Amino acid sequence: MTTTLDLAKQIANMQTDLLVVFENNEIILTNSALNKFFGVSSIEEYKSSFGEFVNHFVPHPSYFNAEKVNEGETWFESIQALNEIDRVVSILDQTFKGHAFSVRIDSSLDNQKIVTFTDITQSLIQRIMIENNANIDKHSGAYTKQYFLQITSSFEEAASFNKKIIGLTLIDIEESDEINHENTQELVRYFKGFIRQDDMLVKYSDTKFLLAFLVDDAQKVQQVTSKLNIMLQKHKVDGFSFKLSTKYQEKNEKLNALISKVLEN
């Protein structure tokens, strides 16, 4: 006969987020995702291997942790008192790799708390860099190389979710050209005038820009390349001569490998 707890376990194990249920502050259920994250096979092994759950939270000033629990409160109460955007913890997985999680607590059941941890590592990196204005190169107005390399996983996920492939165009400026902040700003404004809002123009070096975009298939990539070439023929950019090279993502190819491929061309 299936009990309520058995049914809860089945539902919990279907979740990709880490999920743990507390009753009177004692853990009574962990899901498969959480067990895998910590490298244990069951709730029993988890309990024998670890102490207080709050001790998992890395004591970093940017994240909620045990040091930020208010006197006389449980960690549940202290984190729930924060704004939703600040309910973020850092936890090390079984390989000691740090992950950032947003925390959601459901206290609707008597004496029980269902706590869900959603991995936001990539989106948090983006948020921090955007808040610090570190995603834009101040001299050109394009995205920075650092920001682009930080979000490669997110870009890959966006392509997969939307059933697209990634196209990558190298805009290679002739080294003999006189390059300064004013004319690189002009170049960036020029390209931003006809690329799509979701396309990413990245200043990769003083003489190289990358244009990253999502398309349906390889044929669409070629259409984008043709459009770029036509635009360049119609509208010359004063002070610049450059060549374009475009590659597209093969099946299961990582963006870092695609970047290397287009740069080697």
Side-chain angles (χ1 to χ4, degrees):
M1 180 178 177
T2 303
T3 65
T4 302
L5 184 59
D6 290 333
L7 182 59
K9 286 180 180 179
Q10 292 176 22
I11 296 172
N13 287 336
M14 295 170 63
Q15 308 300 312
T16 56
D17 292 337
L18 312 190
L19 188 145
V20 55
V21 179
F22 296 84
E23 185 171 80
N24 296 321
N25 297 330
E26 181 182 347
I27 295 176
I28 62 169
L29 186 149
T30 56
N31 73 342
S32 297
L34 185 138
N35 293 340
K36 182 179 180 181
F37 183 86
F38 287 117
V40 298
S41 59
S42 64
I43 185 174
E44 291 76 21
E45 185 179 355
Y46 172 85
K47 285 184 173 182
S48 66
S49 301
F50 302 103
E52 293 275 338
F53 197 89
V54 70
N55 293 335
H56 285 305
F57 305 157
V58 176
H60 188 284
S62 297
Y63 308 105
F64 177 84
N65 59 75
E67 296 175 359
K68 296 186 178 183
V69 176
N70 300 321
E71 187 176 353
E73 292 183 349
T74 65
W75 74 264
F76 307 105
E77 294 167 329
S78 292
I79 197 171
Q80 283 185 294
L82 300 175
N83 293 327
E84 185 175 351
I85 195 171
D86 295 320
R87 296 172 194 165
V88 177
V89 298
S90 176
I91 306 177
L92 303 181
D93 64 17
Q94 59 176 306
T95 66
F96 302 102
K97 178 182 178 182
H99 295 254
F101 292 93
S102 66
V103 182
R104 186 171 70 256
I105 301 175
D106 182 348
S107 304
S108 59
L109 299 175
D110 290 342
N111 301 321
Q112 290 188 358
K113 293 178 176 62
I114 303 171
V115 187
T116 304
F117 297 87
T118 302
D119 195 323
I120 59 167
T121 306
Q122 289 298 321
S123 59
L124 185 64
I125 289 171
Q126 292 179 62
R127 190 184 92 189
I128 290 171
M129 296 191 77
I130 290 170
E131 287 174 348
N132 294 330
N133 201 29
N135 60 326
I136 299 296
D137 175 62
K138 62 181 180 180
H139 297 308
S140 67
Y143 288 106
T144 64
K145 175 182 177 180
Q146 180 189 18
Y147 175 69
F148 184 54
L149 295 179
Q150 287 276 15
I151 65 162
T152 52
S153 294
S154 295
F155 210 82
E156 291 164 4
E157 290 169 7
S160 176
F161 181 80
N162 290 289
K163 297 182 179 179
K164 307 281 188 180
I165 64 171
I166 301 171
L168 197 62
T169 296
L170 171 65
I171 304 165
D172 199 358
I173 303 171
E174 295 291 341
E175 293 187 8
S176 60
D177 289 342
E178 182 181 350
I179 301 170
N180 57 50
H181 300 330
E182 185 176 338
N183 57 19
T184 53
Q185 287 175 356
E186 181 186 348
L187 176 66
V188 169
R189 285 195 296 270
Y190 169 73
F191 274 99
K192 283 187 174 181
F194 59 84
I195 64 176
R196 299 171 303 179
Q197 185 175 359
D198 293 335
D199 297 341
M200 290 191 67
L201 183 63
V202 181
K203 184 182 179 184
Y204 206 79
S205 71
D206 285 342
T207 60
K208 298 182 189 298
F209 285 79
L210 292 177
L211 178 64
F213 50 93
L214 302 182
V215 288
D216 293 328
D217 50 43
Q219 184 178 358
K220 293 289 186 182
V221 174
Q222 297 307 318
Q223 290 177 7
V224 171
T225 306
S226 297
K227 177 184 176 182
L228 288 174
N229 280 314
I230 291 170
M231 293 300 296
L232 291 173
Q233 290 170 12
K234 285 184 176 181
H235 307 283
K236 299 293 184 182
V237 184
D238 292 339
F240 284 105
S241 56
F242 39 73
K243 61 180 180 179
L244 304 182
S245 175
T246 301
K247 300 290 182 182
Y248 60 86
Q249 183 184 30
E250 303 284 356
K251 186 176 181 180
N252 299 323
E253 185 176 26
K254 295 294 185 181
L255 181 50
N256 285 333
L258 184 60
I259 293 170
S260 297
K261 191 163 63 177
V262 77
L263 290 174
E264 289 170 359
N265 193 57

